[in-house]
Structures are given as C-alpha cells and as structure tokens.
Amino acid sequence: LTFFSAMLHSFSDISLEEDGGIPTMPFLSACEGIVPFLDTIGSTAFAPVKMDFMGNIGKLRTKYTSEVSKFETLQAILNQEICTATTKVRNSATDALMWLKRGLRFIQKFLVNFKSGERNLTLALNSAYASTLKVYHGWVVKGIFALAVKAAPYPKDFIRALAPNPDNADDKRFISILLQDIDQYTTAMDVVLNIIDNFYEEHDLESTAVV
Ligand code: 6S8
C-alpha cells in the first residue's frame, strides 16, 4: 500500500463522460486527496500553499452546490460563466480552476521528475516550478515558493511520508510499487489536466497576469 493506492478518491478513479466531460465532484475529491500529504510533511512553510489550494477547491465546491444538476461537469461550470460573461469577475470559478490546474500541473511535473529518478527534491521541485507556476509569480510569491522548498523533506522522509504504514517504507519492494503508483497517478492527472488546459486555450480563458 502507498499513499496513492490508499487514497479514497484519486485522479485514476475519475470516469470521464463520453464527450470528455470531467465530473465535478470526483475531480474535487481527487484534489482534496492530496491535502493530507501536506499535513503529513507537516511544515508551517506549507500553510499558505495549502490555504490557496483548498481555497480554490472551496470556491468550486460552492459553485457546484449552488446548482448541482446544472454543474455536473467542470465544463458546464465554465460554459455557464462564459455565457454570462462572468469568467473574469472576482472569485469566479474560472479563475479558481485556472489556479487549481496550475498547482496540479506543478505537482504532476514534480512527481514525474521524482519518478524519472530525480531524488534531489529541491531540484525536482525547482524544475517543476520553472515550467509551471513561476511565470505567473512576482517576486513576493517566488519568495514564498523558495521558503516552501527549503522546508522540503529529505528523500528518505518523503518516501516514508508516502507509506501509510512506516514499516512498509523499509521494504525493498516498496519503492518499486511506489514508482508504479506514481506513474499511474501522474498519467491519470495528465489526461484530466490536458482536457482542462485545452478548454482554457480554446475559449481563451487563460490569464497571463502575474500575482
Ligand atoms: C495566486 C497564487 N496561487 C497565490 O498567490 C500563491 C500562493 C503561494 C503559492 C506558492 C507556491 C509554492 C508551491 C510549493 C510547494 C512545495 C511543497 C513541497 C512539498 C514536497 C490566486 O492565487 C488564488 O488561488 C485564486 O483563488 C484567486 O484569488 O488573483 C487569484 C486572484 O489568486 C498559486 O500560485 C497557486 C499555487 C498552487 C500551489 C500548489 C499546491 C501544491 C501542493 C502540494 C505540493 C506537494 C507536492 C507533493 C505531492 C505529492 C503527494 C500527492
């Protein structure tokens, strides 16, 4: 068992609709599944990151709850905001999902770097950051990222944090099972993120603003 196979709701469990529709609740649950990991590492340096991530999940959940039958998929939510010209209003679901997907792409690239053999977590995080979030961050937020990276665990502790039962982590087979699970997880994430990215591109929803 690994953190990924123990997850109650994973990206691998999302069944897309025939037209590529991403079901809202399974998606939000899969996002929430990542949060306990930040708690396991348990550094206060991750507090702002966690707050931002959960804030966007919350905004999308609120939108969904406001009319469940109308917002069964993420695309239905985005289409509604496109039709009502509200994609750019403060706290729009379009804005929340834009930041959420950027954070998810960062996590996905980081995990792929790790899986591909980069065991220096600082390097794995920096390289993922450079190809995802960094262009959208001004110097203050870049500083928050630098602080969070300084609090990154040692590879040994990172692997341990991904073992629901710490005894598992010492098993020689654990790392190979972990790498398989990461492969499956990041592949499932990639499918979902590509659909969202394409939707944002087609409808010109991506903002280049720097925060
Ligand atoms: C804009 C922006 N959000 C916000 O200003 C930035 C907040 C600080 C983010 C710093 C990024 C640092 C990530 C480092 C993590 C390092 C962890 C190391 C662990 C090993 C937006 O905010 C709002 O979101 C939006 O709602 C609206 O208000 O302009 C808008 C208005 O502003 C961001 O840049 C999004 C940041 C997303 C963070 C990604 C979460 C990372 C979570 C976990 C990382 C752990 C990786 C390992 C996972 C392995 C287990 C699954």
Side-chain angles (χ1 to χ4, degrees):
L1 211 64
T2 70
F3 177 80
F4 299 96
S5 54
M7 259 180 199
L8 285 179
H9 304 280
S10 165
F11 284 93
S12 337
D13 303 326
I14 298 179
S15 30
L16 300 172
E17 306 203 332
E18 251 166 59
D19 59 357
I22 301 166
T24 308
M25 272 318 293
F27 172 80
L28 293 180
S29 302
C31 293
E32 274 167 345
I34 297 170
V35 175
F37 178 75
L38 288 173
D39 296 329
T40 309
I41 314 194
S43 166
T44 49
F46 302 133
V49 179
K50 183 180 163 184
M51 237 166 51
D52 185 84
F53 193 71
M54 288 180 68
N56 288 325
I57 296 171
K59 286 179 191 179
L60 288 163
R61 187 184 284 280
T62 302
K63 180 79 177 181
Y64 172 71
T65 314
S66 75
E67 209 176 338
V68 170
S69 61
K70 197 167 144 190
F71 297 137
E72 262 162 28
T73 65
L74 295 178
Q75 289 92 334
I77 294 178
L78 297 171
N79 278 325
Q80 188 263 348
E81 289 194 344
I82 292 169
C83 291
T84 54
T86 52
T87 61
K88 300 241 183 311
V89 303
R90 211 176 116 80
N91 289 326
S92 68
T94 305
D95 188 58
L97 183 59
M98 182 179 77
W99 285 102
L100 192 56
K101 79 178 175 72
R102 288 172 178 175
L104 291 169
R105 187 62 89 180
F106 162 75
I107 295 170
Q108 192 239 352
K109 294 229 169 155
F110 162 66
L111 289 172
V112 167
N113 290 343
F114 179 80
K115 187 205 77 181
S116 311
E118 182 54 85
R119 291 299 131 81
N120 181 327
L121 296 193
T122 304
L123 291 182
L125 289 165
N126 278 328
S127 138
Y129 183 65
S131 64
T132 57
L133 292 165
K134 195 178 184 183
V135 285
Y136 307 109
H137 288 169
W139 64 272
V140 173
V141 181
K142 281 186 187 139
I144 298 173
F145 173 78
L147 275 180
V149 164
K150 280 211 174 80
Y154 293 113
K156 181 168 74 54
D157 297 323
F158 176 70
I159 292 167
R160 196 163 273 270
L162 293 170
N165 174 356
D167 295 339
N168 291 344
D170 301 323
D171 191 316
K172 289 252 184 309
R173 286 161 300 182
F174 180 75
I175 186 78
S176 88
I177 295 168
L178 178 64
L179 294 177
Q180 273 174 40
D181 284 1
I182 292 180
D183 183 61
Q184 191 195 36
Y185 186 75
T186 52
T187 303
M189 267 181 123
D190 190 53
V191 170
V192 171
L193 290 175
N194 286 342
I195 295 174
I196 306 175
D197 281 338
N198 289 337
F199 192 98
Y200 272 70
E201 194 166 332
E202 275 167 30
H203 298 270
D204 201 19
L205 298 173
E206 196 79 55
S207 149
T208 53
V210 169
V211 295

